[in-house]
Amino acid sequence: MHAGATSAPPPTPSTQQSDNPMSTSAAADTLSRMLHRLPPTLSLPTRRAPPATCPPVPVVSLSRARSNPSLLSSKLGFFELTDHSIPPQLADSAELEALSLFDLPKDKKEACFPRNWPVGFEEGDEVDDDDDVEGLGDSFCLDESCYTESAGLSLASLSEFARSLEKLGLDVIELLCRSVGFECPDLGKKGDPSPTRFCSMMWVAEGLSGKSKTPVAGRFYPYVVGLQYQITSGRKYSLLADSGWVSVVPQVESVLVTIGDIAQVWSNGELKKVRGRPVANLGDEGNKSRRISMSLLVTLPIDTTICPLFPAAACLSCGDQSHVDDDEDGNGRNVESGDHQINDSNAGDNIEIEGRSRVFMSFCLEDYAWRVYHERLHFKDPLDRFRIKN
């Protein structure tokens, strides 16, 4: 061994100056797109702190909300809806049919519900018994094309249940828009050529019981509102709200309504949101427990451009104004949002909508949906990258 002065180790890449003219934001977007195309098996572990118990969930009667929509403008991003018309017998029958899907052999699951992202069957995570994280169980994302009888499967009750929740969800969307003073888009009927036609997905997910009492996050998909019928007393769910993780126990036969990221952008930030679907909390029910969650998501076609909507009062005077949204190269492009359009000539400026500063810039649902679906560590609100910095 030779004596003498030792030299410092070479600097790590993070300490060196970069000569790459690409902006930090652009570089992050490029890296994100690359990572999101990696196989799911390369995802990082889904660890997080246990959810905190939330204050009492707001309970709203649908009949009262129709006469006073402001009752739905929850500061939490979720509420329970009562006085609806969905019978408990239908929910029970739908759950039995949904449970039967998980008893199918893997090859039949894949054959009957082929993967066409996000619709279809997705296999759950493999988790070791000694792992302190509960993995994601098997799940089915079903649209209206999945309910036809095939290979001996009958999902008539699940299909009817989904349609009932969908109808209720459209009523809730209209009332939410009225509650914050924004014009509700004409969502029309599924399949309509209107740019604001809606679509819905029934997400049936299996929870995995293990030693951990910490459920996991994952497989988020953007939506306007989500609806989940509370079938059994004491059934607990974890929600990732704007305020953080919370745990809720809805009333039996109520519908837990979660306000989604699309609704938050539409309202220009007026509405709070929940990221993703409610996650069944199975940690305290023993290793032999089996439970599924059935969440109906009312969302928009994948090619939709999402942006804030005009206040209802402004729509009377603005008519069909066109607007321009800057793309990544700084070039203008026309962007529409339903029947209403927003002046967005420079996404970096302090844009105003009827005297209020605009909070979000326009963005494509497809890229955003892919990003949030495959992101498994939700440390940061995915909508932050679309917030306009003043």
Side-chain angles (χ1 to χ4, degrees):
M1 182 178 294
H2 300 282
T6 60
S7 60
T12 62
S14 61
T15 61
Q16 299 184 53
Q17 289 279 3
S18 173
D19 296 328
N20 191 339
M22 184 183 295
S23 68
T24 303
S25 176
D29 290 346
T30 301
L31 178 60
S32 176
R33 283 193 291 270
M34 292 174 59
L35 292 176
H36 290 157
R37 265 55 181 182
L38 293 175
T41 54
L42 297 181
S43 299
L44 295 173
T46 54
R47 300 175 185 268
R48 65 170 178 80
T53 301
C54 96
V57 182
V59 180
V60 182
S61 165
L62 180 59
S63 58
R64 291 187 60 198
R66 286 187 171 125
S67 58
N68 184 10
S70 63
L71 295 174
L72 299 184
S73 57
S74 169
K75 300 300 182 182
L76 299 174
F78 55 92
F79 53 88
E80 292 179 42
L81 198 62
T82 62
D83 191 27
H84 54 77
S85 60
I86 301 176
Q89 297 83 0
L90 177 60
D92 291 337
S93 298
E95 185 178 49
L96 289 175
E97 291 180 354
L99 278 168
S100 68
L101 299 179
F102 296 95
D103 294 329
L104 297 173
K106 178 184 174 183
D107 58 346
K108 191 167 185 178
K109 292 176 182 177
E110 294 174 341
C112 295
F113 305 98
R115 193 76 181 137
N116 182 20
W117 180 83
V119 176
F121 165 70
E122 181 155 341
E123 189 176 9
D125 298 332
E126 293 184 4
V127 180
D128 296 333
D129 292 339
D130 296 332
D131 203 327
D132 62 352
V133 177
E134 292 178 359
L136 294 169
D138 289 354
S139 66
F140 297 85
C141 180
L142 310 175
D143 63 10
E144 60 182 352
S145 67
C146 299
Y147 297 116
T148 57
E149 292 190 18
S150 61
L153 297 179
S154 177
L155 304 176
S157 294
L158 187 58
S159 175
E160 183 181 352
F161 183 57
R163 288 195 300 270
S164 298
L165 286 174
E166 176 185 271
K167 183 177 182 297
L168 180 61
L170 294 176
D171 289 342
V172 170
I173 291 173
E174 181 178 359
L175 293 173
L176 279 173
C177 290
R178 288 169 53 191
S179 74
V180 293
F182 281 77
E183 184 76 5
C184 180
D186 181 10
L187 298 178
K189 298 180 180 179
K190 285 183 289 188
D192 284 353
S194 167
T196 50
R197 66 195 185 280
F198 75 95
C199 57
S200 65
M201 303 174 185
M202 173 62 81
W203 221 296
V204 184
E206 181 182 40
L208 294 179
S209 287
K211 297 179 180 180
S212 171
K213 294 187 178 181
T214 302
V216 307
R219 298 177 191 160
F220 285 16
Y221 193 84
Y223 61 90
V224 186
V225 294
L227 301 98
Q228 186 154 309
Y229 191 100
Q230 181 73 341
I231 298 176
T232 305
S233 175
R235 185 169 292 189
K236 183 186 296 185
Y237 298 95
S238 295
L239 309 175
L240 181 51
D242 281 338
S243 59
W245 283 95
V246 295
S247 182
V248 300
V249 183
Q251 298 179 11
V252 177
E253 299 181 9
S254 69
V255 173
L256 176 63
V257 178
T258 53
I259 300 172
D261 32 13
I262 296 176
Q264 186 174 59
V265 175
W266 276 359
S267 70
N268 197 40
E270 292 290 322
L271 294 172
K272 300 295 184 181
K273 72 173 181 302
V274 169
R275 290 184 243 167
R277 299 166 286 112
V279 180
N281 190 339
L282 306 182
D284 56 355
E285 300 190 16
N287 291 333
K288 294 184 179 180
S289 66
R290 187 186 185 197
R291 177 170 295 176
I292 62 172
S293 60
M294 298 186 295
S295 302
L296 191 285
L297 307 183
V298 181
T299 183
L300 300 175
I302 197 68
D303 58 350
T304 304
T305 296
I306 310 299
C307 61
L309 302 181
F310 271 119
C315 294
L316 298 177
S317 58
C318 68
D320 290 327
Q321 288 181 321
S322 62
H323 72 282
V324 178
D325 187 22
D326 281 356
D327 59 20
E328 292 182 358
D329 299 325
N331 299 319
R333 60 184 174 88
N334 289 330
V335 176
E336 296 183 356
S337 175
D339 298 327
H340 314 303
Q341 303 173 342
I342 303 169
N343 188 350
D344 189 14
S345 58
N346 190 337
D349 290 342
N350 186 18
I351 303 163
E352 291 191 353
I353 303 175
E354 190 70 4
R356 287 181 286 181
S357 296
R358 186 175 174 187
V359 176
F360 295 102
M361 65 180 72
S362 305
F363 59 89
C364 174
L365 177 59
E366 181 174 13
D367 179 67
Y368 176 72
W370 182 271
R371 180 188 301 269
V372 298
Y373 185 90
H374 292 90
E375 178 62 57
R376 300 292 294 278
L377 293 174
H378 300 276
F379 296 133
K380 185 178 180 181
D381 185 345
L383 283 180
D384 284 350
R385 64 192 302 268
F386 303 110
R387 294 183 187 274
I388 296 175
K389 306 297 189 295
N390 292 329

